[in-house]
Amino acid sequence: MKTPLAWRNLLHERVRSGVAIAGVAFAVILILMQLGFFFSVEQTATLIYDRMQFDLAILSRDYLHMGKASSIPIERLYQAQDLPAVADVSPFWIGFSLWLNPDPASRQRRSMMLLAFRPDDDVFKLGDVNDRRTDLKEVGTVLIDRLSRSEFGPHGPGTETDIGRTPIRVVGEYTMGTGFSADGAAITSERTFRKILPIVPQSRTSMGLIAVAPGSDPAVVRQQLQKLLPDDTQVMTRDELRSYEQHHWVVKTSVGIIFGLGVGVALIVGLAIVYQVLSSDIANRMPEYATLMAMGYGRRFVSGVVLQQATLMAVAGFLPGLTISYVLFKVAAAGAHLPMHMGPGLVVAVLVLNLAMCICSGLLSLRKVNQADPADLFV
């Protein structure tokens, strides 16, 4: 039999089919957006570290994540420097203080992340930062992340305001982002950092960034440093630190968990919508399915029609869902300053999930098809 029954069924009940396709599209949008946010959590977890130059990092045993790095004695960096395989060690400070919105109509304060280093150290991979390192040597100068939220007010070069109770002047901007750790960030020198946060002891730093000597294996140097340094510190390679940060934000925080659960909810919503439509369609077509069986077509053939119908719904709903999601990705990336990218891998993964969702709905609906009895035609 060459008649495309599944396609004819969809066209015959266009309103019902339209509702099903809209439901599938809605589920696709939910899945894509939740996965987009979920993967952005993973990417932003290492956003700052990926733009810094180091092979190893000396961290406190109490290190939780970059925003809560705790501190270590700066003496640990000098001890690490004595190891022949260590080429250079740079202290790095992380803190938070209140930025005063320079807009006279607002004058509100908002927490800003502060990243500090010694301007003579080669810490960042960002050209906008390296070109302004000399300017940062002047106490009271900072560089502001262009991706800081608009609530901070105007912060272009030349802006003068306060961070904490310290007057500062913006001497430049850079583009990096902070992800979910903060709403805005500023890079400054060690001297300005200590002036803004005088509570930070002179003898401590948030972490030490290590460049190993050419030809040295960072993993081997890490083991040597871990044996050399006291138990109040830990040493991680770049890859270990990246994995740690991603695991923390994706698994241990509510942010990653919420977006992960959102994907499951979207699948359940789509499955329920398609199941209801297919079940209703089968119930209305029970005499037709019984007639097919009376004509000699087995339950396998009829079941195939239902599964084909579910697959057609999946494909028809995926395309508009993908188009709308693409627009929403752009809006979310611009508004939330998150790295949301709709790559081929993500599109294929959602297509597979969507097909699986609709086919599962079709399989659940088959029990109604099995109730079709040719004998009912003669009752």
Coordinates of all heavy atoms in Angstrom, one line a residue, residues 164-219:
G164 N 34.5 51.1 46.7 CA 34.6 51.2 48.1 C 34.5 52.7 48.5 O 33.6 53.4 48.1
R165 N 35.5 53.1 49.2 CA 35.6 54.6 49.5 C 36.8 55.2 48.9 O 37.3 56.3 49.3 CB 35.7 54.7 51.1 CG 34.5 54.2 51.8 CD 33.2 55.0 51.4 NE 32.0 54.4 52.0 CZ 30.8 54.9 51.8 NH1 30.6 55.8 51.0 NH2 29.8 54.3 52.4
T166 N 37.3 54.5 47.9 CA 38.6 55.0 47.2 C 38.2 55.6 45.8 O 37.6 55.0 45.0 CB 39.5 53.8 47.0 OG1 39.8 53.2 48.2 CG2 40.8 54.3 46.3
P167 N 38.7 56.8 45.6 CA 38.5 57.5 44.3 C 39.3 56.7 43.2 O 40.5 56.4 43.4 CB 39.0 58.9 44.5 CG 39.0 59.1 45.9 CD 39.3 57.8 46.6
I168 N 38.7 56.4 42.1 CA 39.4 55.7 41.0 C 39.1 56.4 39.7 O 38.1 57.2 39.6 CB 39.0 54.2 40.9 CG1 37.5 54.0 40.7 CG2 39.4 53.5 42.2 CD1 37.2 53.9 39.2
R169 N 39.9 56.2 38.7 CA 39.8 56.7 37.4 C 39.9 55.5 36.4 O 40.8 54.7 36.5 CB 40.8 57.8 37.1 CG 40.7 58.4 35.7 CD 41.6 59.6 35.6 NE 43.0 59.3 35.9 CZ 43.9 58.9 35.0 NH1 43.6 58.7 33.7 NH2 45.1 58.6 35.4
V170 N 39.0 55.5 35.5 CA 39.0 54.4 34.4 C 39.9 54.8 33.3 O 39.7 55.9 32.7 CB 37.6 54.1 33.9 CG1 37.6 53.1 32.8 CG2 36.6 53.7 35.0
V171 N 41.0 54.0 33.1 CA 42.0 54.4 32.0 C 41.8 53.5 30.8 O 42.5 53.7 29.8 CB 43.4 54.2 32.6 CG1 43.6 55.2 33.7 CG2 43.6 52.8 33.1
G172 N 40.9 52.6 30.8 CA 40.7 51.8 29.6 C 39.6 50.7 29.8 O 39.1 50.5 30.9
E173 N 39.3 50.0 28.8 CA 38.3 48.9 28.8 C 38.9 47.7 28.2 O 39.8 47.7 27.4 CB 37.0 49.3 28.1 CG 36.3 50.5 28.8 CD 35.0 50.9 28.0 OE1 35.2 51.3 26.8 OE2 33.9 50.7 28.5
Y174 N 38.3 46.5 28.5 CA 38.7 45.3 27.9 C 37.4 44.4 27.8 O 36.4 44.8 28.4 CB 39.7 44.5 28.8 CG 39.2 44.1 30.1 CD1 38.7 42.9 30.4 CD2 39.3 45.0 31.2 CE1 38.2 42.5 31.6 CE2 38.8 44.7 32.5 CZ 38.3 43.4 32.7 OH 37.8 43.1 33.9
T175 N 37.4 43.4 27.1 CA 36.2 42.5 26.9 C 36.6 41.1 27.4 O 37.4 40.4 26.8 CB 35.8 42.5 25.5 OG1 35.5 43.8 25.0 CG2 34.5 41.6 25.3
M176 N 35.9 40.6 28.4 CA 36.1 39.3 28.9 C 34.8 38.7 29.5 O 34.5 37.6 29.1 CB 37.2 39.3 30.0 CG 37.5 37.9 30.6 SD 39.1 37.9 31.6 CE 38.6 39.1 32.9
G177 N 34.1 39.3 30.4 CA 33.0 38.8 31.0 C 33.3 38.1 32.3 O 34.5 37.8 32.6
T178 N 32.3 37.8 33.1 CA 32.5 37.2 34.4 C 31.6 36.0 34.6 O 31.7 35.3 35.6 CB 32.3 38.2 35.6 OG1 30.9 38.7 35.5 CG2 33.2 39.3 35.5
G179 N 30.7 35.8 33.7 CA 29.8 34.6 33.8 C 28.8 34.9 35.0 O 28.3 35.9 35.2
F180 N 28.7 33.8 35.8 CA 27.7 33.9 36.9 C 28.4 34.3 38.2 O 27.7 34.4 39.3 CB 27.1 32.5 37.1 CG 26.2 32.1 36.0 CD1 26.7 31.4 34.9 CD2 24.8 32.5 35.9 CE1 25.9 31.0 33.8 CE2 24.0 32.2 34.8 CZ 24.6 31.4 33.8
S181 N 29.7 34.6 38.2 CA 30.4 35.0 39.4 C 30.1 36.4 39.8 O 30.1 36.7 41.0 CB 31.9 34.8 39.2 OG 32.3 33.5 38.9
A182 N 29.9 37.3 38.9 CA 29.7 38.7 39.2 C 29.0 39.4 38.1 O 28.9 38.9 37.0 CB 31.0 39.4 39.5
D183 N 28.5 40.6 38.4 CA 27.8 41.4 37.4 C 28.7 42.3 36.6 O 28.4 42.8 35.5 CB 26.7 42.2 38.0 CG 25.5 41.4 38.5 OD1 25.3 40.3 38.0 OD2 24.9 41.8 39.5
G184 N 29.9 42.5 37.1 CA 30.9 43.4 36.5 C 32.3 43.1 37.1 O 32.4 42.5 38.2
A185 N 33.3 43.5 36.4 CA 34.7 43.3 36.8 C 35.6 44.5 36.4 O 35.4 45.2 35.5 CB 35.2 42.0 36.3
A186 N 36.6 44.6 37.2 CA 37.7 45.6 37.0 C 39.0 45.0 37.2 O 39.2 44.2 38.2 CB 37.5 46.9 37.8
I187 N 40.0 45.4 36.4 CA 41.4 44.9 36.6 C 42.2 46.1 37.0 O 42.1 47.2 36.5 CB 41.9 44.3 35.3 CG1 41.2 43.1 34.9 CG2 43.4 44.1 35.4 CD1 41.6 42.5 33.5
T188 N 43.0 45.9 38.0 CA 43.8 46.9 38.6 C 45.1 46.4 39.1 O 45.4 45.2 38.9 CB 43.1 47.7 39.7 OG1 43.8 48.8 40.1 CG2 42.9 46.7 40.9
S189 N 46.0 47.3 39.6 CA 47.3 46.9 40.1 C 47.2 46.5 41.6 O 46.2 46.7 42.3 CB 48.2 48.1 40.0 OG 47.9 49.1 40.9
E190 N 48.2 45.8 42.0 CA 48.3 45.4 43.4 C 48.1 46.6 44.4 O 47.4 46.5 45.4 CB 49.6 44.7 43.7 CG 49.9 44.4 45.1 CD 51.3 44.0 45.4 OE1 52.1 44.0 44.4 OE2 51.7 43.8 46.6
R191 N 48.8 47.7 44.1 CA 48.8 48.8 45.0 C 47.4 49.4 45.0 O 46.9 49.8 46.1 CB 49.8 49.9 44.5 CG 51.2 49.4 44.6 CD 52.1 50.4 43.9 NE 52.1 51.7 44.6 CZ 52.6 52.8 44.0 NH1 53.1 52.8 42.8 NH2 52.5 54.0 44.6
T192 N 46.7 49.6 43.9 CA 45.3 50.1 43.9 C 44.4 49.1 44.7 O 43.5 49.5 45.4 CB 44.8 50.3 42.5 OG1 45.7 51.3 41.9 CG2 43.4 50.9 42.5
F193 N 44.6 47.8 44.4 CA 43.7 46.8 45.1 C 43.9 46.9 46.6 O 42.8 46.9 47.3 CB 44.2 45.4 44.6 CG 43.4 44.3 45.2 CD1 42.2 43.9 44.6 CD2 43.9 43.6 46.4 CE1 41.5 42.8 45.2 CE2 43.2 42.6 46.9 CZ 42.0 42.2 46.3
R194 N 45.1 47.1 47.1 CA 45.2 47.2 48.6 C 44.7 48.5 49.1 O 44.2 48.5 50.3 CB 46.7 47.1 48.9 CG 47.3 45.7 48.6 CD 48.6 45.5 49.2 NE 49.2 44.2 48.9 CZ 48.9 43.0 49.5 NH1 47.9 43.0 50.4 NH2 49.5 41.9 49.1
K195 N 44.6 49.5 48.3 CA 44.1 50.8 48.7 C 42.5 50.7 48.8 O 41.9 51.2 49.7 CB 44.5 51.9 47.8 CG 44.1 53.3 48.3 CD 44.6 54.4 47.4 CE 44.2 55.8 47.9 NZ 44.7 56.9 47.0
I196 N 41.9 50.0 47.9 CA 40.5 49.8 47.9 C 40.1 48.8 49.0 O 39.1 49.0 49.7 CB 40.0 49.2 46.5 CG1 40.3 50.2 45.4 CG2 38.5 48.9 46.5 CD1 40.0 49.7 44.0
L197 N 40.9 47.8 49.2 CA 40.6 46.7 50.2 C 41.8 46.7 51.2 O 42.5 45.7 51.2 CB 40.4 45.4 49.5 CG 39.2 45.3 48.6 CD1 39.2 43.9 47.9 CD2 37.8 45.4 49.4
P198 N 41.9 47.7 52.1 CA 43.0 47.7 53.0 C 42.9 46.5 54.0 O 43.9 46.3 54.7 CB 42.8 49.0 53.7 CG 41.4 49.4 53.5 CD 41.0 48.8 52.2
I199 N 41.8 45.9 54.1 CA 41.6 44.8 55.1 C 42.4 43.6 54.7 O 42.7 42.7 55.5 CB 40.1 44.4 55.2 CG1 39.9 43.5 56.4 CG2 39.6 43.7 53.9 CD1 38.4 43.2 56.7
V200 N 42.8 43.5 53.4 CA 43.6 42.3 52.9 C 45.0 42.5 53.4 O 45.7 43.5 53.1 CB 43.6 42.3 51.3 CG1 44.5 41.1 50.8 CG2 42.2 42.1 50.8
P201 N 45.5 41.5 54.1 CA 46.9 41.6 54.7 C 48.0 41.7 53.6 O 47.8 41.1 52.5 CB 47.0 40.2 55.5 CG 45.6 39.8 55.7 CD 44.8 40.3 54.5
Q202 N 49.0 42.4 53.9 CA 50.1 42.6 52.9 C 50.8 41.3 52.6 O 51.4 41.1 51.6 CB 51.1 43.6 53.5 CG 50.5 45.0 53.6 CD 50.6 45.8 52.4 OE1 51.3 45.5 51.4 NE2 49.8 46.9 52.3
S203 N 50.7 40.4 53.6 CA 51.5 39.2 53.5 C 50.7 38.0 52.8 O 51.2 36.9 52.7 CB 51.9 38.7 54.9 OG 50.7 38.4 55.7
R204 N 49.6 38.3 52.2 CA 48.8 37.3 51.6 C 48.3 37.7 50.2 O 48.2 38.8 49.9 CB 47.6 36.9 52.5 CG 47.9 36.5 53.9 CD 46.7 36.0 54.7 NE 46.3 34.7 54.3 CZ 46.8 33.5 54.7 NH1 47.8 33.5 55.6 NH2 46.3 32.4 54.3
T205 N 48.1 36.6 49.4 CA 47.6 36.8 48.1 C 46.5 35.7 47.8 O 46.5 34.7 48.5 CB 48.7 36.7 47.0 OG1 48.2 37.0 45.7 CG2 49.3 35.4 47.0
S206 N 45.7 36.0 46.8 CA 44.6 35.0 46.5 C 45.2 33.7 45.9 O 44.7 32.6 46.2 CB 43.6 35.6 45.6 OG 43.0 36.8 46.2
M207 N 46.2 33.8 45.1 CA 46.8 32.7 44.4 C 48.1 33.0 43.8 O 48.4 34.2 43.6 CB 45.8 32.1 43.3 CG 45.5 33.0 42.2 SD 44.4 32.3 41.0 CE 42.9 32.2 41.9
G208 N 48.8 32.0 43.4 CA 50.1 32.2 42.7 C 50.0 31.6 41.3 O 49.6 30.4 41.2
L209 N 50.4 32.3 40.3 CA 50.3 31.8 38.9 C 51.7 31.4 38.5 O 52.6 32.3 38.5 CB 49.7 32.8 38.0 CG 48.3 33.3 38.4 CD1 47.9 34.4 37.4 CD2 47.3 32.2 38.4
I210 N 52.0 30.2 38.1 CA 53.3 29.7 37.8 C 53.5 29.4 36.3 O 52.6 28.7 35.7 CB 53.6 28.4 38.6 CG1 53.5 28.7 40.1 CG2 54.9 27.8 38.3 CD1 53.7 27.5 41.0
A211 N 54.6 29.8 35.8 CA 55.0 29.4 34.4 C 56.2 28.5 34.6 O 57.2 28.8 35.3 CB 55.4 30.6 33.6
V212 N 56.1 27.3 34.1 CA 57.2 26.3 34.2 C 58.2 26.6 33.2 O 58.0 27.2 32.2 CB 56.6 24.9 34.1 CG1 55.6 24.6 35.1 CG2 56.1 24.6 32.7
A213 N 59.4 26.1 33.5 CA 60.6 26.3 32.6 C 60.3 25.5 31.3 O 59.7 24.5 31.3 CB 61.8 25.8 33.3
P214 N 60.9 26.0 30.2 CA 60.7 25.3 28.9 C 61.2 23.9 29.0 O 62.3 23.6 29.6 CB 61.6 26.1 27.9 CG 61.6 27.5 28.6 CD 61.6 27.3 30.0
G215 N 60.4 22.9 28.5 CA 60.8 21.5 28.5 C 60.3 20.8 29.7 O 60.4 19.6 29.8
S216 N 59.8 21.5 30.7 CA 59.3 20.9 32.0 C 57.9 20.4 31.8 O 57.1 21.1 31.1 CB 59.4 21.8 33.1 OG 60.8 22.2 33.4
D217 N 57.5 19.3 32.4 CA 56.1 18.8 32.4 C 55.4 19.4 33.6 O 55.7 19.2 34.7 CB 56.2 17.3 32.5 CG 54.8 16.7 32.4 OD1 53.8 17.4 32.4 OD2 54.7 15.4 32.3
P218 N 54.3 20.2 33.3 CA 53.6 20.8 34.4 C 53.1 19.8 35.4 O 53.0 20.1 36.6 CB 52.4 21.5 33.7 CG 52.9 21.8 32.3 CD 53.8 20.6 32.0
A219 N 52.7 18.6 35.0 CA 52.2 17.6 35.9 C 53.3 17.2 36.9 O 53.0 17.0 38.1 CB 51.6 16.4 35.2

